[in-house]
Amino acid sequence: MDYPKIAQQILQLVGGKENIINFTHCFTRLRFQLHDNQTANREKLLQTEGVISVVEGSGQYQVVLGNKVTKVYEQLVSFVGDVKRNNQTEPKLSLAVKILNAFAAIFTPIIPAIAASGMLKGILAIAVMIGNYYYQTDIKSYNTYTILHAASDAVFYFMPIILGYTAARVFKAHEFISMIIGATLCYPSIVNLMTSNTEVTLFAIELTKASYTSSVIPIILAVFILSYVQRFLDYIIPEVLKIIMVPTFSLLVMIPATLLIFGPIGIYIGEFINWVYYYIMGVSPILLGAFIGGVWCILVIFGAHRAIVPIGINDVAQTGHQSLLAFAGAANFSQAGAALGVFFKTKNKNLKTVAASATITALFGISEPAIYGANLRLKRPMVCAVICGALAGGLMGWGGSYGTAFANQGILTIPVYAEAGTKAFLCYLIGIGFAFFGSCIMTMLVGFNDIANEEESKTIQTSSSQPLTNDTTILSPVAGEVIALNQVKDEVFASGSMGKGVAIYPKAGEIFAPADCTITVLYPTLHAIGLKLDNGIELLIHIGIDTVNLQGKYFQSYVETGQHITKGSKIVSFNIEKIEQQFDLTTSIIVVNSDQYKHIDYCQLTHVSNNDNLLFIQV
């Protein structure tokens, strides 16, 4: 696979370097923050080698690549370098989305280290069980165990130092000053003071005693405030003194402020979050487990699961165990099972390959390929996975399942959940077994609208319509007022960069198939539709301008991606009155593969119905 070429194509299709505000990656996807999401070419991104899906959510434009993401990201960094903002304004995001994005950016870089530590804890747990059962030996007394256990626990103990660095990158504070603040919280003499029976004072002010080793929120708050303190100091201190005085005064201000104010506040916030989580657990662990097991992978689709990941990290850091990922494990195994069901059920060779690969990946804790490559794409398998994940999570909640590490939810980390006790561990095992096999069987029984093989698609084309060999016309997919494409108030379409075509301001909120065709793309927000007509013409129907921001509100779909439909079939309906109050409804109809034809023109009528000729194409 040519990773530099893929990276170059993705860079071009998201609008180039000048359209990128920032970008990062997680286990499976590139996460872009773009100046203009509409500039990105989603349809061509989906056709790019290695791209599984494209998702907009949480203020990000996400290109899903699966386990190839790291190599593509490295190539992107080499092409893009330091992203400049070019004095352009950033898109307006809600406070909740900004907080979510900040937490995602802070925790994403350290998740591999946390997952590796969890895996090591799982291996040690297996070793302890084998030693006790087969050799009647407690290996915890061995130096080797002590050293490896320290390696598995270090990331949690020194969490303030690690988060100090990642938070500084997010909040644009000095990385090493931030790490020193975190190290101060973990310093042995400070730890001893905080655990002593005597009063602890700073400048004659009594400190709130708290254990900051393994803490999460105090250092994030401290670095956030540090970023503003640092900017203020940069502003007032002369340039010649900045290199020494800014770091010095930053420490002199922030160490006392952290121990007196922000540290205790962070501890209280963390305790409150844990209290809420365990209060719900106390009310009904079954409902909590069912909720997390059911919606976890739905949250993954939008990246919103990262908002609750810190609960699990903080839980392990403070108490040594967590239940969050036990419930999330039910969701992961259910996605793996549903993908396996797709593998057994589908007759599409490409989909079968994708489903097989996605099943294995999900069993090892990475669920996105299963979600985007098979289950969400086909819809019904996703529903089956959600149902089985919820039932399995409820069983785990009833049994009190928990893990002793923040470990990725897969088959290699099952031993992490063994120390919870016989009942809890059995419920975990039965839960993931039910999630996997239950969703597999349910998917096979419920079925789905399969995607035809390329050979079958060719047969359909031959039987229903011949490939385009002569000049042809295309009917209008919507009734309304005809508008020249260069008059559309969207530069991407008006410039013709997406292809030649025409626009219509709809008078009826319905989109119909202009000919026998296959649905190649159905945007999740339903504002954009890709069609491949049986004669080879590829159409993009883009309903309105910036209507993606409605997130599907006021839209209704009647088809699925990959479905072959006949001329006149209803594809999408939408509420004109509601949408017109907020957005321009000018609908662009683009021939995406315009370069394959000599000439493309549109009718001279001012108004058309969905039965009138709209486009004329010369081969």
Side-chain angles (χ1 to χ4, degrees), residues 55-243:
V55 180
E56 287 186 63
S58 303
Q60 296 177 333
Y61 197 87
Q62 303 168 12
V63 181
V64 183
L65 293 162
N67 54 15
K68 302 174 287 294
V69 67
T70 303
K71 293 181 179 179
V72 176
Y73 174 79
E74 290 170 354
Q75 295 298 325
L76 266 176
V77 170
S78 67
F79 294 142
V80 177
D82 294 327
V83 178
K84 305 297 182 183
R85 296 181 184 273
N86 299 323
N87 297 320
Q88 296 185 41
T89 58
E90 295 186 16
K92 294 181 180 180
L93 303 175
S94 67
L95 178 61
V97 169
K98 288 181 179 178
I99 293 173
L100 174 61
N101 288 346
F103 267 83
I106 289 169
F107 284 98
T108 294
I110 67 171
I111 285 180
I114 293 173
S117 298
M119 292 285 286
L120 187 52
K121 280 184 179 287
I123 293 170
L124 291 175
I126 294 173
V128 168
M129 288 190 293
I130 292 174
N132 289 334
Y133 187 79
Y134 289 102
Y135 301 102
Q136 290 74 51
T137 301
D138 184 8
I139 68 169
K140 291 182 179 180
S141 61
Y142 292 4
N143 291 339
T144 301
Y145 177 88
T146 301
I147 293 170
L148 292 177
H149 182 266
S152 72
D153 205 45
V155 68
F156 298 105
Y157 187 88
F158 295 108
M159 186 67 74
I161 302 175
I162 298 170
L163 290 180
Y165 177 79
T166 58
R169 296 290 299 272
V170 172
F171 298 132
K172 305 296 186 291
H174 194 291
E175 289 97 333
F176 293 103
I177 296 300
S178 301
M179 293 173 71
I180 289 173
I181 296 173
T184 302
L185 298 178
C186 299
Y187 197 73
S189 60
I190 299 294
V191 174
N192 291 335
L193 279 176
M194 291 299 177
T195 55
S196 67
N197 294 322
T198 59
E199 181 182 271
V200 181
T201 61
L202 177 63
F203 302 130
I205 302 173
E206 184 178 354
L207 293 178
T208 301
K209 286 188 175 183
S211 175
Y212 292 109
T213 58
S214 303
S215 62
V216 171
I217 299 179
I219 186 63
I220 294 177
L221 278 177
V223 174
F224 176 71
I225 300 300
L226 170 66
S227 65
Y228 288 95
V229 170
Q230 178 184 306
R231 290 170 201 165
F232 175 73
L233 293 173
D234 272 331
Y235 179 75
I236 65 171
I237 294 176
E239 190 70 33
V240 69
L241 299 175
K242 281 183 180 180
I243 191 170

Side-chain angles (χ1 to χ4, degrees), residues 332-344 351-371 373-375 410-411 436 439-440:
N332 262 28
F333 279 92
S334 68
Q335 292 295 330
L340 184 62
V342 172
F343 170 78
F344 286 129
L351 181 58
K352 192 178 284 288
T353 301
V354 169
S357 174
T359 299
I360 296 170
T361 308
L363 285 174
F364 283 88
I366 309 298
S367 61
E368 282 90 338
I371 294 172
N375 301 339
I411 56 177
F436 180 71
S439 57
C440 175

Side-chain angles (χ1 to χ4, degrees), residues 11 72 112 131 142 178 182 346 455 474 559 595:
L11 178 59
V72 176
Y142 292 4
S178 301
T346 184
E455 294 80 3
I474 298 176
V559 297
D595 56 351

